[in-house]
Amino acid sequence: MSPRLRVLISCGEPSGDLYAGALAAEIARLEPDATVSGFGGDRLRQAGGALVHHFSGLSVTGLTEAIRVLPRAWRIYRDLVRAARRERPDVFVAIDFPDFNFVLARAIRKLRIPIVYYISPQLWAWRRGRLNTMKRLVDRVLVIFPFEAPFYERAGVPVTFVGHPLIEMTAAGQPREAFMRAHGLDPAQPLVGLLPGSRRNELRTILPDLVRAAGLIAGRVPDAQFVVARAPHLPEEAFAPLREWPANTKRAIVLEDAADDVLASADLAIVASGTVTVQAVIHACPMVVVYRLGPLTYRLGKPFVHVDTYAMANLVAGRRVVPELIQESFTPEAVAAEALRVLTDPAHAARVRADLADVRRRLGAAGASRRAAEEVLAVARRRRAARDDG
């Protein structure tokens, strides 16, 4: 009887953990005897993965924040390399989180373990020099956006478009009216969702201006209601700006781990650029996309950026279907102006929803996690067969 297939996974933030958990669950369905271990979070653990380390507190943006977590990242790196050397997995799956996973992949490659990169880093957007590193290190890249596959094919990197895993994972827990009434909201009045990010430093730079924008929106639409979708594992203090909630505005309701319910029910969402923009696409929820990095981080990174749009809805569409307010253009006044276009112009809101529905169709069919698991297991089996033959 041959030993179990062994899969090592590394992801370092909530969105990656979401995909890692779904991937591990599909691996278990396809190969019940396989073992999954690595670096991740609660979703990976709930799917049966044995965590070498939990990523809590490691996911940050910006240079100064990254420097603070370096000692812990180094310890995690060393422990994962030791685990790989000891367990000799049949495949290593890196999920996004490139600054950490590229370094880890180099060490894993030296152990002659095949590597699959799932949820590939956005090399088409910035730091394209890493493409050569990807080509050298990785046996296969699994991409989730349709425009990514040609990018890797042109560079000679083995690639498979599996579709977006959120297609099957994104669903509201209840209809809009039931959701609204359950939280004391009036279904007849507009609802604005505020989704300020999943990292502490994102909230610090984004949430205060969303609070100010809410006051400006309420000045024009007095009956507007607000719900803040709070990412799990964030400390209470990260939401301190809500204490400055405008007096002219209905008090915001804060709900944890409820992004899909909020996006499915909202007339408009104001969201931090990231995975949540894809969730908004799937729910066809009109959105205003915002983001702000530290000034030094932004100035140093800007020369390496090769795209003039950031929101996935716009990248997939190939044109701007939702507004993006990045860095200096992200002001309370600008957010409110874009929000009011949707809230006060039904024809405009309908056009945006139709555009988002088209983007949703381009993201592919459900079943991405299963297709990704099939690819991962195929690489693992080839490795096992080669090792047995050797």
Side-chain angles (χ1 to χ4, degrees):
M1 182 177 177
S2 61
R4 299 176 174 184
L5 287 176
R6 294 187 291 271
V7 180
L8 181 69
I9 293 178
S10 173
C11 63
E13 54 193 345
S15 60
D17 184 46
L18 185 67
Y19 306 139
L23 177 68
E26 292 296 338
I27 288 172
R29 291 187 186 98
L30 293 166
E31 188 77 26
D33 289 334
T35 64
V36 177
S37 61
F39 171 46
D42 295 344
R43 305 270 188 169
L44 179 56
R45 180 161 48 202
Q46 289 162 7
L51 294 191
V52 177
H53 277 282
H54 196 290
F55 65 72
S56 179
L58 196 66
S59 177
V60 296
T61 58
L63 294 176
T64 55
E65 293 84 359
I67 290 170
R68 282 200 295 269
V69 301
L70 274 176
R72 181 164 175 248
W74 175 243
R75 288 194 300 273
I76 293 170
Y77 162 82
R78 287 185 301 176
D79 288 346
L80 286 168
V81 173
R82 289 193 193 104
R85 191 177 291 119
R86 183 178 63 251
E87 301 295 333
R88 292 288 166 168
D90 296 288
V91 63
F92 167 61
V93 183
I95 298 181
D96 203 0
F97 209 53
D99 290 329
F100 181 87
N101 277 333
F102 267 105
V103 177
L104 180 59
R106 290 189 185 95
I108 297 292
R109 194 69 186 177
K110 290 177 182 177
L111 300 175
R112 302 175 67 84
I113 295 166
I115 298 171
V116 174
Y117 217 120
Y118 179 39
I119 319 294
S120 82
Q122 297 173 356
L123 304 185
W124 39 266
W126 78 305
R127 298 183 72 175
R128 289 188 180 178
R130 283 179 163 179
L131 192 57
N132 290 329
T133 304
M134 182 77 85
K135 186 174 182 178
R136 188 171 64 251
L137 292 178
V138 174
D139 293 81
R140 182 155 295 272
V141 180
L142 306 180
V143 297
I144 61 175
F145 295 107
F147 61 83
E148 293 179 306
F151 172 78
Y152 284 107
E153 287 168 352
R154 287 192 296 269
V157 179
V159 61
T160 301
F161 170 58
V162 296
H164 206 295
L166 282 180
I167 296 296
E168 64 258 26
M169 296 161 61
T170 297
Q174 54 191 328
R176 181 180 191 272
E177 184 161 346
F179 170 80
M180 300 278 279
R181 295 201 183 282
H183 297 288
L185 299 165
D186 184 352
Q189 300 302 332
L191 178 66
V192 178
L194 304 180
L195 296 93
S198 60
R199 301 179 179 96
R200 194 179 312 186
N201 56 322
E202 285 178 333
L203 267 71
R204 186 168 60 250
T205 59
I206 291 173
L207 188 54
D209 279 346
L210 297 195
V211 169
R212 297 183 190 104
L216 297 174
I217 293 167
R220 286 279 308 279
V221 185
D223 290 325
Q225 304 163 103
F226 297 85
V227 175
V228 178
R230 172 177 175 165
H233 307 302
L234 287 170
E236 196 66 38
E237 191 56 31
F239 293 87
L242 293 178
R243 298 171 194 158
E244 306 300 320
W245 192 254
N248 70 324
T249 308
K250 293 182 180 179
R251 174 58 56 184
I253 294 170
V254 181
L255 300 177
E256 183 166 313
D257 207 14
D260 283 318
D261 282 326
V262 172
L263 291 169
S265 299
D267 296 277
L268 168 78
I270 306 172
V271 305
S273 181
T275 300
V276 72
T277 63
V278 179
Q279 290 173 268
V281 166
I282 295 169
H283 290 293
C285 178
M287 69 185 107
V288 179
V289 180
V290 303
Y291 211 75
R292 183 181 292 122
L293 290 167
L296 178 60
T297 302
Y298 183 76
R299 283 200 301 271
L300 291 176
K302 191 73 168 68
F304 300 98
V305 175
H306 304 285
V307 293
D308 59 4
T309 187
Y310 299 91
M312 278 301 167
N314 297 335
L315 288 164
V316 174
R319 61 191 178 89
R320 292 204 176 222
V321 297
V322 297
E324 301 178 26
L325 302 172
I326 309 297
Q327 217 62 15
E328 292 87 357
S329 64
F330 170 27
T331 66
E333 293 77 14
V335 171
E338 294 291 355
L340 288 167
R341 286 187 70 201
V342 173
L343 295 174
T344 63
D345 185 345
H348 174 70
R351 285 193 298 271
V352 174
R353 288 187 183 276
D355 287 339
L356 294 177
D358 179 62
V359 173
R360 159 65 183 83
R361 285 189 290 271
R362 298 187 191 198
L363 292 178
S369 296
R370 187 176 185 86
R371 290 189 288 273
E374 289 169 346
E375 294 285 342
V376 167
L377 289 171
V379 172
R381 288 176 185 131
R382 285 196 294 272
R383 153 75 172 193
R384 178 63 60 89
R387 193 162 57 187
D388 291 346
D389 290 345

